[in-house]
Structures are given as C-alpha cells and as structure tokens.
Amino acid sequence: MNSPYLCPNCKTNKTRFNIIEQHVKSVKLDPHTGSVIQEIDKMALDPFHIPYKGPEYKVQCGACGLIEEEITFIKRAELQK
C-alpha cells in the first residue's frame, strides 16, 4: 500500500479506496446441510485440502465499487504517468 492507485474501471479515482483484509478459515462442511463440521488449522490440512494461496487483501474503489487485487490498481496508476 505504498504505491499510488488508480481505479482501472472508472479511471478517475486516485484517493478513495477500501482495503479488504481476507482472513482465511479452512473448514469441512456437511455435504447435505452445508453446516460446518470442522474448522481445520492450516498446519493440519489433509492431503485433499489445498491451502489458500490468494492475496492477503483486496482493494475496492470507493467511487465505482470495483473489487480487484492491489496490483491491478497500481499498474493502472503506472500507465497514466
């Protein structure tokens, strides 16, 4: 978050953004009800459960509402220089 942002959608917003922190919780669900059967510690995932590898946070444009990864907003700002 130490780089300028520019919304790639509305192309005007450079100042108003929402930072969305993503807190990953691995769970096992009941296939019939969808209820959480078990919360799984990321260090104890079974071989069939792939760990989350996405970004820690995403960015939302405070003007148009677009939600994307941070790099998308940074690259758009770099293109306008």
Side-chain angles (χ1 to χ4, degrees), residues 15-55:
T15 59
R16 294 180 190 88
F17 299 95
N18 298 312
I19 305 300
I20 304 165
E21 293 180 357
Q22 301 194 116
H23 300 281
V24 178
K25 180 169 44 171
S26 298
V27 297
K28 193 170 193 175
L29 301 180
D30 181 288
H32 304 291
T33 66
S35 301
V36 175
I37 296 172
Q38 178 185 13
E39 286 190 31
I40 308 166
D41 181 77
K42 68 179 180 180
M43 302 307 271
L45 293 176
D46 63 47
F48 299 106
H49 196 123
I50 298 172
Y52 179 73
K53 295 180 182 169

Side-chain angles (χ1 to χ4, degrees), residues 4-5 12-13 15 17 21 28 34 37 40 56-57 75 78:
Y5 289 172
T12 57
N13 180 25
T15 59
F17 299 95
E21 293 180 357
K28 193 170 193 175
I37 296 172
I40 308 166
E56 291 184 41
Y57 59 90
K75 291 295 184 185
E78 289 174 355

